[in-house]
């Protein structure tokens, strides 16, 4: 019996001829995918490169990925040329660093953030060094600078270039509003000055050369110290009036207005002077997290108190000893990642807490006592640009340290 | 070793107990509980870098972190010599001021009444010497307690003395009473208790002459020369006339504070001098570098008032 069978080699060849186009197609697809992937990566790198050209910053800053950074930052460099600095703020574009000094002539310095170069100095007009004490600063969305002054018992407002604009001389009164009320309106071009030591307010009509004095505006119960402007424009002020301290929350209209001539904000207050729950002694700052909770940095009680979004006291943390305890908390900053940075003035470091959960979590501390790079000597304030560049005001070392992740 | 540890533990407990018993003049200085965490604010048991187990070796920097110009932790701003906050008008005891930014009775180290100081006490560990320390009024001599800083005069742990002044200054016991000044007091004319001169005399001992006639008696020459008497009533009647009350009457709108002794208000060192620093201006004859303590052309020797207004407020020559 004979069988008509195809030889084995021919059989294989036939298989090949059937499968070849399929494999070829698969290979082509793979190659295409690879090319697309390479193209995508090239585009991504090009975008990163282009963005870096316009906004130089380390990679983590450029990536918008929700990366949890739970490790301490590292020291970059220091900005010198400041005399006993105590407070700092950064312009919205990150290009200008504002620093308040308590030594020398007690000026507010504008420093170019990238180079550390001094751009300008300014101060409350019509004051001598012994009549002013700028402490903490905040910048609103349009770049205007707000500075608390402990000796003047006021908040001075300047343009981003340090030109004087107005003064908040009581929770419900600005200098321009006061003069406007006295004159029955504020003609355009009128200049005005305020100095608590000279117990008066002055104005100069447009085109005039003489200044006219007005009776002393009422400023009782107003002694602003800590200052924060939230992302949505609200302004939080710690008011450290003797035995009547409170935190005052001003509405966003205060920082979004063109001028402050019609100043009658509806503000709320919470907290009180003391050592009990919901109380504080010399709160140096107040902040709000993404869930609307309020934090007071309670300097002399050595703790951080928390209120809920309705301003009802919840709890405090950071007291006592051990990891995460603060000794003398002063300036603070809460970034977009709900990381709470607190300067511990006698702890000689910055303590960082995660506050995205129900309870705060101590993450780490960085810095220690000394005069070398990365060491602190009575630091007093901290401010971030974005989530990566950290400025720490190092008072007794006469510098501002710059750290990064 | 075991004994040593026990002794050390007892010593620590005793120290804490004594600290707890110390009377505080207010604020965070004293009144500590047995489980206080306040110690760690300023001290480190094993990692201190300054004497007295201080965190840092600068007492001045530590104190001015709260008491500096920023007022970030206290109302008493010793740099500018002001009490930052007004007192409660319904409270007639304790605080000694009426207006915000009232001048501190002790003056300021850098500024006083808004003007830069022309003399101040060297409290930044810069000197160990004091004028009139010992027997010779014209020379400086080293202090027993080492260099001077804030803690040379004040006890941050609390003290029964006014303004937490140390119970012992430079090794000498002092007792400064605090007096309720009443509702109408102002910080410039505040009356404080007797004993203030003893604080100064703890270092400037040879200036502490309290006997009548020390300004003229020949016997004073043997002790270094004539000197103005202190710790006596302001009242003086002599050939030149009768002195006015410098605290109430004053002269030409200028006044000087007296110490309230209970029977008669007394002239003490601080009646004429500001212990922290003064911005008084010295010109002409009042500006003589040859005088003890007057070390430079602008040095006001801690005098409260310009030139010799401190003389005229009482004597009105």
């Amino acid at each position: 019996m004979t069988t008509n069978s195809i030889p084995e080699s021919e059989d294989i060849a036939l298989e090949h001829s059937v499968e070849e186009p399929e494999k070829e197609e698969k290979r082509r697809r793979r190659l295409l995918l690879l090319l697309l992937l390479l193209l995508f990566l090239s585009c991504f790198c090009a975008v990163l490169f282009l963005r870096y050209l316009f906004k130089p910053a380390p990679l983590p800053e450029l990536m918008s990925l929700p990366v949890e950074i739970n490790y301490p930052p590292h020291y970059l460099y220091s900005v010198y040329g400041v005399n006993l600095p105590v407070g700092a703020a950064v312009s919205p574009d990150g290009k200008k660093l504002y620093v308040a000094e308590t030594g020398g002539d007690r000026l507010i310095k504008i420093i170019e953030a990238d180079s550390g170069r001094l751009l300008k100095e300014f101060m409350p007009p019509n004051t001598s060094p012994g009549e002013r004490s700028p402490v903490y600063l905040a910048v609103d969305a349009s770049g205007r600078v707000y500075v608390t002054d402990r000796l003047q018992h006021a908040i001075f407002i300047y343009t981003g270039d340090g030109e004087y604009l107005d003064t908040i001389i009581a929770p419900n009164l600005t200098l321009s509003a006061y003069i406007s009320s006295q004159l029955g309106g504020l003609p355009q071009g009128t200049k005005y000055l305020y100095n608590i030591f000279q117990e008066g307010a002055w104005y100069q009509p447009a085109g005039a050369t003489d200044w006219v004095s007005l009776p002393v505006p009422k400023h009782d119960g107003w002694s602003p110290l800590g200052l924060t402007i939230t992302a949505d424009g609200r302004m939080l002020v710690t008011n450290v009036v003797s035995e009547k301290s409170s935190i005052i929350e001003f509405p966003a209209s205060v920082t979004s207005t063109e001028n402050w001539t019609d100043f009658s904000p509806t503000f709320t207050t919470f907290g009180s002077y003391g050592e009990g729950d919901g109380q504080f002694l010399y709160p140096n700052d107040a902040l709000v997290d993404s869930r609307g909770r309020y934090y007071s940095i309670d300097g002399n009680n050595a703790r951080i108190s928390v209120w809920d979004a309705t301003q009802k006291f919840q709890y405090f943390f950071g007291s006592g000893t051990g990891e995460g305890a603060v000794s003398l908390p002063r300036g603070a900053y809460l970034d977009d990642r709900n990381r709470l940075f607190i300067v511990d003035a006698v702890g000689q470091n910055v303590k960082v807490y995660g506050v995205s959960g129900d309870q705060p979590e101590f993450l780490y501390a960085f810095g220690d006592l000394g005069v070398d790079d990365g060491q602190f000597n009575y630091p007093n304030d901290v401010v971030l640009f974005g989530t990566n560049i950290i400025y720490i005001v190092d008072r007794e070392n006469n510098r501002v340290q710059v750290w990064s992740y | 070793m075991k004994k040593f540890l026990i002794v050390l533990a007892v010593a620590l407990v005793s120290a804490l107990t004594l600290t707890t018993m110390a009377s505080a003049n207010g604020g965070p200085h004293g009144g500590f509980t047995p489980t206080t965490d306040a110690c760690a604010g300023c001290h480190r048991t094993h990692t201190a870098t300054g004497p007295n187990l201080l965190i840092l070796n600068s007492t001045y920097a530590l104190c001015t972190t709260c008491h500096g110009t920023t007022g970030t932790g206290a109302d008493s701003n010793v740099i500018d010599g002001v009490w930052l906050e007004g007192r409660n008008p319904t409270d007639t005891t304790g605080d000694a001021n009426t207006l915000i930014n009232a001048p501190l009775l002790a003056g300021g180290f850098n500024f006083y009444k808004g003007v830069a100081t022309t003399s101040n006490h060297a409290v930044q560990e810069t000197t160990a010497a004091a004028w009139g320390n010992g027997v010779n009024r014209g020379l400086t001599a080293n202090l027993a307690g080492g260099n001077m800083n804030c803690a040379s005069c004040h006890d941050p742990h609390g003290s029964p003395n006014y303004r937490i002044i140390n119970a012992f200054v430079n090794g000498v016991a002092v007792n400064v009473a605090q007096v309720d000044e009443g509702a109408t007091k102002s910080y410039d004319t505040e009356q404080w208790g007797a004993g203030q001169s003893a604080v100064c005399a703890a270092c400037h001992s040879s200036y502490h002459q309290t006997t009548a006639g020390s300004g003229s008696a020949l016997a004073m020459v043997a002790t270094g020369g004539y000197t103005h008497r202190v710790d006596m009533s302001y009242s003086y009647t002599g050939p030149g006339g009768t002195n006015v009350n410098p605290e109430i009457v004053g002269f030409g709108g200028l006044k000087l504070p007296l110490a309230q002794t209970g029977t008669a208000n007394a002239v003490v060192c601080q009646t004429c001098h500001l212990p922290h620093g003064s911005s008084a201006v010295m010109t002409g004859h009042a500006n003589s570098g040859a005088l003890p303590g007057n070390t430079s052309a602008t040095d006001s020797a801690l005098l409260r008032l310009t030139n010799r207004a401190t003389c005229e407020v009482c004597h009105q020559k």
Side-chain angles (χ1 to χ4, degrees):
Chain A
M1 191 173 83
T2 59
T3 54
N4 249 345
S5 62
I6 301 168
E8 199 175 322
S9 58
E10 283 178 26
D11 192 21
I12 290 168
L14 191 64
E15 272 179 30
H16 272 211
S17 64
V18 174
E19 287 176 6
E20 198 64 31
E22 243 177 73
K23 276 192 174 179
E24 197 63 29
E25 183 62 25
K26 274 184 183 174
R27 230 170 63 199
R28 268 205 303 272
R29 276 182 193 164
R30 277 192 206 126
L31 271 171
L32 192 65
L33 276 173
L34 196 63
L35 279 169
L36 282 171
L37 189 66
L38 282 170
L39 191 67
F40 175 75
L41 281 173
S42 303
C43 289
F44 183 71
C45 289
V47 167
L48 280 181
F49 178 71
L50 285 171
R51 189 170 171 190
Y52 187 82
L53 282 180
F54 291 103
K55 184 186 169 188
L59 196 59
E61 177 67 16
L62 297 175
M63 296 173 73
S64 57
L65 301 171
V67 178
E68 285 296 327
I69 299 177
N70 282 335
Y71 52 86
H74 60 273
Y75 172 83
L76 286 181
Y77 59 91
S78 287
V79 176
Y80 288 90
V82 285
N83 195 334
L84 295 176
V86 287
V90 186
S91 61
D93 61 6
K95 290 181 178 172
K96 290 176 189 168
L97 174 68
Y98 301 93
V99 182
E101 298 178 309
T102 57
D105 285 338
R106 298 177 178 176
L107 305 169
I108 300 139
K109 288 186 170 167
I110 308 176
I111 293 163
E112 193 173 55
D114 288 344
S115 67
R117 187 167 60 93
L118 176 67
L119 297 174
K120 193 178 177 183
E121 301 168 331
F122 61 97
M123 77 288 289
N126 193 40
T127 59
S128 64
E131 295 174 333
R132 58 180 177 251
S133 178
V135 188
Y136 292 116
L137 311 93
V139 178
D140 69 20
S142 60
R144 294 176 300 191
V145 185
Y146 301 67
V147 187
T148 58
D149 193 300
R150 208 55 178 102
L151 280 176
Q152 287 291 330
H153 295 252
I155 297 174
F156 288 85
I157 310 172
Y158 307 88
T159 67
D161 292 325
E163 300 299 326
Y164 172 70
L165 291 173
D166 212 334
T167 309
I168 303 176
I169 52 179
N172 55 1
L173 189 66
T174 58
L175 180 58
S176 63
Y178 172 71
I179 292 178
S180 176
S181 69
Q182 296 290 306
L183 302 181
L186 198 64
Q188 200 166 10
T190 305
K191 292 179 180 175
Y192 33 84
L193 294 170
Y194 174 77
N195 183 345
I196 200 170
F197 284 88
Q198 294 173 21
E199 286 292 326
W202 290 266
Y203 71 94
Q204 186 185 49
T209 51
D210 294 333
W211 289 86
V212 184
S213 70
L214 288 170
V216 181
K218 204 162 172 55
H219 48 66
D220 292 346
W222 178 235
S223 195
L225 176 63
L227 184 64
T228 294
I229 294 176
T230 64
D232 59 6
R234 285 174 290 164
M235 185 163 77
L236 291 168
V237 178
T238 63
N239 193 23
V240 291
V241 176
S242 190
E243 300 185 12
K244 290 179 184 172
S245 299
S246 65
I247 293 169
I248 302 179
E249 184 183 46
F250 291 94
S253 58
V254 166
T255 62
S256 62
T257 184
E258 286 291 313
N259 62 64
W260 296 267
T261 309
D262 297 316
F263 190 77
S264 56
T266 304
F267 57 84
T268 57
T269 64
F270 60 96
S272 61
Y273 179 92
E275 299 175 22
D277 288 349
Q279 297 184 318
F280 31 63
L281 297 174
Y282 293 93
N284 269 239
D285 209 350
L287 308 137
V288 186
D289 69 14
S290 61
R291 293 163 69 166
R293 293 174 299 192
Y294 297 87
Y295 299 81
S296 79
I297 312 303
D298 188 353
N300 285 16
N301 279 331
R303 65 191 186 194
I304 298 96
S305 291
V306 184
W307 285 260
D308 68 13
T310 64
Q311 299 181 345
K312 185 181 172 192
F313 174 76
Q314 298 297 302
Y315 55 85
F316 59 77
F317 66 94
S319 63
T321 55
E323 195 181 58
V326 289
S327 296
L328 189 62
R330 287 283 167 84
Y333 191 87
L334 223 163
D335 76 356
D336 293 344
R337 290 183 173 142
N338 276 323
R339 290 177 305 188
L340 177 59
F341 295 76
I342 297 173
V343 167
D344 192 339
V346 297
Q348 310 292 349
N349 57 22
V350 179
K351 294 187 169 74
V352 185
Y353 302 81
V355 293
S356 53
D358 289 337
Q359 293 288 328
E361 177 194 4
F362 175 69
L363 301 177
Y364 47 79
F366 60 92
D368 58 9
L369 168 65
V371 296
D372 294 334
D373 289 350
Q375 294 185 318
F376 298 119
N377 198 350
Y378 291 102
N380 203 72
D381 198 13
V382 59
V383 63
L384 271 74
F385 175 61
T387 54
N388 190 53
I389 303 295
I390 309 163
Y391 297 96
I392 301 126
V393 178
D394 191 5
R395 178 172 64 105
E396 290 292 319
N397 282 333
N398 295 311
R399 65 187 177 188
V400 177
Q401 292 194 29
V402 187
W403 291 57
S404 176
Y405 284 100
Chain B
M1 185 62 185
K2 200 173 175 182
K3 276 183 184 174
F4 173 74
L5 286 174
I6 291 168
V7 169
L8 186 66
V10 169
L12 278 171
V13 169
S14 304
L16 282 173
T17 309
L18 285 172
T19 305
T20 306
M21 285 163 64
S23 169
N25 267 26
H29 300 300
F32 306 118
T33 63
T35 55
T36 183
D37 62 343
C39 310
C42 303
H43 299 284
R44 290 288 181 272
T45 312
H46 303 295
T47 55
T49 61
N52 300 312
L53 297 180
L54 280 174
I55 287 176
L56 282 183
N57 57 8
S58 171
T59 305
Y60 182 80
L62 181 63
C63 296
T64 54
T65 297
C66 288
H67 295 279
T69 186
T70 58
T72 41
D75 286 335
S76 46
N77 167 357
V78 299
I79 300 287
D80 302 301
V82 297
W83 187 275
L84 287 163
E85 294 304 321
R87 73 195 280 251
N88 184 348
T90 61
D91 176 9
T92 58
T93 59
D95 299 332
N97 58 92
T98 52
L99 299 168
I100 59 173
N101 292 350
L104 281 185
L105 194 63
F109 289 105
N110 291 8
F111 294 93
Y112 181 60
K113 295 186 176 177
V115 181
T117 53
T118 47
S119 61
N120 55 32
H121 250 124
V123 291
Q124 298 193 53
E125 318 278 354
T126 50
T127 179
W131 290 95
N133 181 27
V135 294
N136 195 332
R137 265 169 252 155
L139 296 174
T140 59
N142 287 345
L143 304 175
N147 287 356
M148 193 178 180
N149 57 47
C150 308
S152 300
C153 297
H154 299 281
D155 186 348
H157 300 118
S159 159
N161 282 337
Y162 176 63
R163 290 283 161 213
I164 57 171
I165 285 171
N166 278 323
F168 287 87
V169 177
N170 197 32
V172 179
V174 297
N175 184 7
V176 185
Q178 179 165 348
V179 180
D180 174 21
E181 302 87 356
T184 57
K185 68 198 172 188
S186 83
Y187 216 115
D188 246 357
T189 58
E190 180 201 358
Q191 299 163 332
W192 68 103
Q196 282 280 8
S197 293
V199 183
C200 306
C203 297
H204 307 281
S205 53
S206 69
Y207 297 151
H208 198 204
Q209 300 299 329
T210 59
T211 53
S214 62
S216 302
L218 277 176
M220 293 304 297
V221 176
T223 67
Y226 305 109
T227 190
H228 196 292
R229 183 188 175 199
V230 289
D231 291 352
M232 77 294 188
S233 165
Y234 74 87
S235 298
Y236 168 81
T237 303
T242 303
N243 290 343
V244 298
N245 186 324
E247 189 168 74
I248 297 170
V249 180
F251 184 53
L254 300 175
K255 294 177 182 178
L256 291 170
L258 298 169
Q260 193 176 57
T261 59
T263 52
N265 290 342
V267 175
V268 293
C269 302
Q270 292 89 339
T271 297
C272 297
H273 297 280
L274 289 158
H276 292 164
S278 169
S279 57
V281 178
M282 300 297 138
T283 59
H285 293 302
N287 179 24
S288 171
L291 293 173
N294 207 351
T295 54
S296 74
T298 55
D299 194 322
S300 56
L302 303 179
L303 282 168
R304 282 184 183 273
L305 303 173
T306 290
N307 285 333
R308 290 301 180 261
T310 45
C311 306
E312 288 292 334
V313 166
C314 290
H315 299 290
Q316 302 189 1
K317 298 292 184 187

